[in-house]
């Protein structure tokens, strides 16, 4: 499968044709055959907004998981909050994307991890003015996956239900490990949990090198724009032409 918006749309059409209902982490039990669409926002909110709008246009809803410990975006910045609000306005759910690596002292301590997840959900909730009820893990360790973490008042998208009872399909590292199209059309599974990363999708097919390169090099323009708002007369110090 190509990593284009057109192909993503085709994937959704295949799910519709195979009569999967589009469910979320709360209501899936009401359907005999369903898919939960999930997106983890590891690096780039703009890409997530583009996919959120596409999904709205084709009439499906999903859950976008936000990484508040990201080095690439800050959920308390006005720009990022406006972008996340666009995702919410499309009718999508927001969850917390949790990186356990940030808390080495909690390794193996499920109660502490549960507290830390609730704390991050609370912080994200404050930033967005809404309650955050669902969590996904960023690059989860085997220990966290095996622990089937129960978090009071929250849904763990990596709990046994969504990770084992559902057919879990992911495009992590821009690669489907299984033939996603065939699995959908085979009708072999009544429940599918589909993780896609908006980061990899473009109008035209773009290989992994070019996707990464565009993101890294595009960051220079973004930094310049941010500094323009903060340093008076920036262009007398450094011209735009100097941006590589
Ligand atoms: Zn992640």
């Amino acid at each position: 499968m190509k990593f284009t918006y057109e192909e993503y749309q085709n994937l959704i059409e295949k799910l519709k044709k195979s009569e999967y209902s589009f469910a979320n982490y709360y209501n899936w039990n009401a359907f005999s055959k369903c898919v939960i669409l999930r997106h983890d926002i590891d690096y780039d909110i703009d890409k997530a907004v583009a996919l959120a709008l596409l999904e709205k246009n084709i009439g499906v809803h999903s859950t976008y998981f936000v990484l508040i410990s990201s080095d690439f975006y800050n959920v308390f910045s006005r720009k990022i909050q406006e972008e996340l609000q666009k995702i919410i306005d499309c009718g999508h759910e927001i969850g917390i994307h949790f990186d356990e690596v940030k808390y080495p002292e909690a390794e193996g301590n499920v109660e502490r991890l549960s507290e830390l997840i609730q704390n991050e959900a609370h912080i994200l909730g404050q930033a967005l003015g809404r309650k955050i009820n669902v969590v996904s893990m960023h690059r989860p360790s085997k220990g966290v996956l095996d622990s089937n973490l129960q978090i009071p008042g929250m849904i763990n998208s990596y709990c046994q239900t969504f990770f084992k009872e559902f057919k879990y399909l992911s495009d992590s590292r821009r690669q489907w490990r299984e033939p996603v199209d065939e699995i959908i059309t085979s009708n072999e599974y009544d429940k599918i949990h589909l993780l896609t990363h908006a980061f990899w999708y473009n109008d035209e097919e773009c290989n992994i090198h070019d996707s990464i390169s565009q993101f890294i090099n595009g960051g220079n323009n973004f930094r310049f724009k941010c500094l323009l708002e903060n340093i008076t007369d920036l262009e007398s110090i450094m011209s735009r032409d100097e941006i590589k």
Side-chain angles (χ1 to χ4, degrees), residues 32-51:
S32 55
K33 189 175 181 185
C34 68
V35 57
I36 296 177
L37 302 177
R38 161 182 158 207
H39 309 287
D40 291 347
I41 314 178
D42 290 340
Y43 317 117
D44 190 342
I45 296 276
D46 290 340
K47 280 294 192 71
V49 171
L51 199 67

Side-chain angles (χ1 to χ4, degrees), residues 148-181:
N148 194 26
L149 210 56
Q150 305 293 316
I151 307 146
M154 291 188 72
I155 295 168
N156 174 11
S157 68
Y158 273 107
C159 71
Q160 297 287 316
T161 304
F162 301 117
F163 203 58
K164 296 271 195 284
E165 291 171 31
F166 277 63
K167 176 63 182 170
Y168 179 77
L169 296 164
S170 158
D171 68 353
S172 292
R173 210 186 149 87
R174 201 185 175 282
Q175 193 175 8
W176 294 99
R177 277 161 194 74
E178 296 174 82
V180 60
D181 296 41

Side-chain angles (χ1 to χ4, degrees), residues 23-68:
N24 57 35
Y25 293 98
Y26 312 111
N27 66 5
W28 60 273
N29 226 349
F31 303 99
S32 55
K33 189 175 181 185
C34 68
V35 57
I36 296 177
L37 302 177
R38 161 182 158 207
H39 309 287
D40 291 347
I41 314 178
D42 290 340
Y43 317 117
D44 190 342
I45 296 276
D46 290 340
K47 280 294 192 71
V49 171
L51 199 67
L53 290 166
L54 181 151
E55 287 181 326
K56 185 192 173 204
N57 287 339
I58 56 177
V60 294
H61 292 133
S62 58
T63 305
Y64 286 78
F65 288 91
V66 174
L67 186 69
I68 63 166

Side-chain angles (χ1 to χ4, degrees), residues 66-70 96-124 135-139 141 144 149:
V66 174
L67 186 69
I68 63 166
S69 58
S70 170
I96 183 85
H97 196 39
F98 182 81
D99 186 4
E100 63 186 276
V101 169
K102 192 183 154 194
Y103 306 102
E105 74 283 4
E107 194 184 333
N109 183 341
V110 289
E111 274 176 29
R112 183 68 188 131
L113 278 170
S114 172
E115 281 172 9
L116 289 163
I117 290 166
Q118 288 175 82
N119 186 48
E120 287 207 356
H122 179 69
I123 293 167
L124 178 59
V135 61
S136 75
M137 309 304 172
H138 179 63
R139 310 184 72 190
S141 63
V144 161
L149 210 56

